[in-house]
Amino acid sequence: MIDSLLIANRGEIARRIIRTAKRVGIRTIAVHSEIDGDMPFVREADEAVCIGPASAKESYLNADRIIDAAMRTGAKAIHPGYGFLSENAEFAERVTASGLIWVGAPAASIRAMGLKDAAKKRMIAAGVPVTPGYLGEDQADERLQREADAIGYPVLIKAVAGGGGKGMRRVDSAAEFPAALASCRREAASAFGDDRVLIEKYILSPRHIEVQVFGDTHGNVVHLFERDCSLQRRHQKVIEEAPAPGMDASTREAVCQAAVQAARAVDYVGAGTIEFIADASDGLRADRIWFMEMNTRLQVEHPVTEAITGQDLVEWQILVASGEPLPMRQEQLSINGWAMEARLYAENPSTGFLPSVGRLIHLRFPDGIRVDSGVEEGNEISAYYDPMIAKLISHGATHQDAARRLARAAANVEVWPVRTNAAFLARTLDHPDFRTGAVDTGFIERHATDLIPPTEPSERVLQAAARAILPKPGGGIWTTGSGFRMNAPPSREIGIEVGGAAYRVELRDGGEPAVTDAGVLFLDGEAWAYGPPRAGHAGGSAGHSDGAIVAPMPGRVIALMVAKGDRVTRGQPLVVIEAMKMEQTLSAPFDGVVSEMKVLAEAQVVEGSVLMQLEGDQ
């Protein structure tokens, strides 16, 4: 058994690995960047080593520094978690060449499944069904256009070296293809250093089904059943569950055995996930479920599999890396109940899910569910890393039971001043179609109006804020407003300020209490600053009528489409900002002329920076 383990990762997954390692008596070593020195995973490890500046390229992606830290601290093994170097075959080889144990897939398996086109060809040879598409070596734009035309629209352009939802574009017509291809290539080159792509038929009613597989060095391979990851936004998973709604026993057997067959085809060892795309227009059927790709690592959503099987997958990883056989045979594994995971992100759904950064001045997680988090109150959400705050995991007897518990948990999240998607998650989990399992990958886009909270406070928020600012003598709150009026009932109207805007609220009886903290109200997963109205304050916020094009998030300017003096039309793209591997295009709010440029390409900007100034047509 491994007796000491270096975790080549950070945040939530580092804490997750440390938790299991400590339980089984393994010494843990954390590596961290300069700005992560006070993070919980650093404190909880038995030893910690700083490996560089905040930039991931100089720290968490620096193989030399990580291996050096392992050698200096006497670590016997390295666990890469997910992301960063977890699917880097060269790093896996360097770890083993250094005499260390690699707690991950063999380098040969990572290479075999790392490039989507090569992986699909291998699966075809192994008899695993794959999605129709183009996997050719000819990467000329003209050839890719012809292949897409032949496949028939809509199609999906995917980066050959892609993953995590990056480097993917849906194209609905031939006219859209050139621009989508260029954008996909640019993102793929930035994220993976490889701009090659493949083309797939886009399934109009797609479900994303994945199967957890595990192999050992003794030739054993098992599956731990499927997960449904269909609820996505921009190809990024939002809510995952296990088992998959609507999956009958025969279809489950066919899909899970196909996953085992795929793992055997690459002599797989360790934890991995075989991802399938299902055409769910006629329910889940084995003959309409196709291989997409393999993730040769532990997945973000592995806790839902742990919940329904009762197994610790990190412990399985350690056992297999130590040379032990799998702890259970296939016939010993079974499904118990239903589990769901929601990813709580530092982002603002009301502004297009732009990342939100800053210090977590107030942070409270709900009780009664599993919470895997990399942060605590007082920590910073930085622009350097993924903005996930926590994973919220519920377990119940049925799909509806698990959804109800998770919705309640999301609604009780309290975070300030960083914005989160908690209210969006609660609304999604409460949606009638989600409760019945009627989801596919287009669910969020179809129901966005219902799922995304409005920018203005609801009547419930206003009522709760109004009661919160009315202190009752001796504690508590008044249940009604005061205000004697001649020949009229007493006035129950009160002036308040919520979210920077002023409101007049007519108090109602029977209002429910809300959680408040230092002038912030938490209700239904949202957070609102509130208080008495300031003198002369009319509320509201300025729009773009002044012509200032403002950075909505911190990031890097990767493209400028206009120059000073250019004439622009309303809706015309002006500038593209990238942050956390996400691109945000800012467009002209009206017809006019670029009167001033305040930024250069490749510049780093902070949220609220004025990038350029427009003058409208008179």
Side-chain angles (χ1 to χ4, degrees), residues 296-317:
T296 52
R297 54 171 168 79
L298 195 67
Q299 290 281 92
V300 177
E301 58 271 20
H302 76 273
V304 297
T305 295
E306 293 183 326
I308 66 165
T309 61
Q311 304 302 308
D312 184 328
L313 298 191
V314 173
E315 183 177 3
W316 277 43
Q317 286 186 294

Side-chain angles (χ1 to χ4, degrees), residues 304-598:
V304 297
T305 295
E306 293 183 326
I308 66 165
T309 61
Q311 304 302 308
D312 184 328
L313 298 191
V314 173
E315 183 177 3
W316 277 43
Q317 286 186 294
I318 294 169
L319 289 171
V320 166
S322 300
E324 298 290 329
L326 293 174
M328 299 187 78
R329 300 185 304 275
Q330 189 67 67
E331 61 270 20
Q332 294 176 298
L333 293 162
S334 60
I335 296 174
N336 174 30
W338 214 287
M340 289 184 187
E341 175 183 298
R343 303 186 187 191
L344 179 67
Y345 275 108
E347 61 186 12
N348 190 347
S350 298
T351 59
F353 293 89
L354 293 181
S356 179
V357 299
R359 188 166 299 281
L360 297 165
I361 295 174
H362 179 103
L363 176 64
R364 299 288 188 277
F365 293 124
D367 296 326
I369 64 165
R370 172 176 168 178
V371 178
D372 286 9
S373 176
V375 296
E376 295 175 345
E377 189 170 275
N379 290 150
E380 186 98 8
I381 300 295
S382 94
Y384 288 100
Y385 312 119
D386 185 88
M388 187 166 70
I389 296 174
K391 301 186 306 195
L392 311 177
I393 305 106
S394 68
H395 185 213
T398 65
H399 168 89
Q400 291 199 356
D401 185 29
R404 184 167 48 252
R405 294 184 184 197
L406 194 53
R408 184 168 59 248
N412 288 327
V413 164
E414 301 172 23
V415 181
W416 182 262
V418 172
R419 299 296 180 181
T420 79
N421 63 338
F424 164 78
L425 294 173
R427 286 168 171 250
T428 301
L429 290 157
D430 268 334
H431 194 280
D433 286 353
F434 183 84
R435 288 294 180 92
T436 60
V439 299
D440 58 32
T441 57
F443 181 92
I444 290 176
E445 183 178 0
R446 284 197 308 275
H447 299 293
T449 302
D450 297 328
L451 305 182
I452 297 176
T455 55
E456 296 293 317
S458 67
E459 179 63 20
R460 291 184 69 227
V461 169
L462 294 176
Q463 289 289 325
R467 285 175 168 78
I469 67 170
L470 291 174
K472 181 190 294 183
I477 60 171
W478 293 108
T479 57
T480 63
S482 60
F484 173 78
R485 293 187 296 174
M486 185 69 70
N487 299 320
S491 172
R492 295 163 59 88
E493 190 177 79
I494 182 172
I496 58 171
E497 191 171 300
V498 178
Y503 298 90
R504 300 296 300 177
V505 178
E506 184 75 18
L507 283 169
R508 295 198 308 257
D509 290 331
E512 57 190 294
V515 177
T516 60
D517 178 67
V520 180
L521 181 145
F522 301 97
L523 188 64
D524 298 333
E526 296 181 276
W528 299 90
Y530 75 96
R534 289 171 286 173
H537 182 56
S541 58
H544 292 286
S545 59
D546 60 355
I549 305 303
V550 177
M553 63 182 181
R556 179 171 61 94
V557 176
I558 62 172
L560 285 171
M561 288 84 155
V562 294
K564 183 177 180 179
D566 286 354
R567 174 164 292 280
V568 298
T569 57
R570 186 171 185 266
Q572 178 180 335
L574 304 175
V575 57
V576 180
I577 298 177
E578 180 190 56
M580 299 178 182
K581 298 182 181 179
M582 289 176 53
E583 291 186 8
Q584 175 75 11
T585 300
L586 306 182
S587 303
F590 48 69
D591 296 347
V593 175
V594 180
S595 61
E596 191 174 359
M597 295 292 295
K598 295 180 176 290

Side-chain angles (χ1 to χ4, degrees), residues 16-27:
R16 166 71 189 87
I17 295 165
I18 289 169
R19 187 165 66 246
T20 289
K22 284 184 176 292
R23 182 175 59 77
V24 298
I26 296 174
R27 181 171 68 95

Side-chain angles (χ1 to χ4, degrees), residues 131-174:
T131 314
Y134 172 71
L135 312 173
E137 297 296 327
D138 186 350
Q139 289 285 301
D141 290 4
E142 296 79 8
R143 175 62 184 276
L144 293 171
Q145 175 90 59
R146 288 199 305 271
E147 293 292 342
D149 294 346
I151 294 168
Y153 296 93
V155 298
L156 191 64
I157 306 173
K158 298 176 70 173
V160 164
K166 303 296 190 297
M168 300 176 68
R169 297 291 186 277
R170 171 180 168 170
V171 186
D172 292 314
S173 69

Side-chain angles (χ1 to χ4, degrees), residues 68 120 127 143 156 164 230 250 397 405 502:
D68 177 67
K120 287 197 172 186
R143 175 62 184 276
L156 191 64
S230 300
S250 61
R405 294 184 184 197

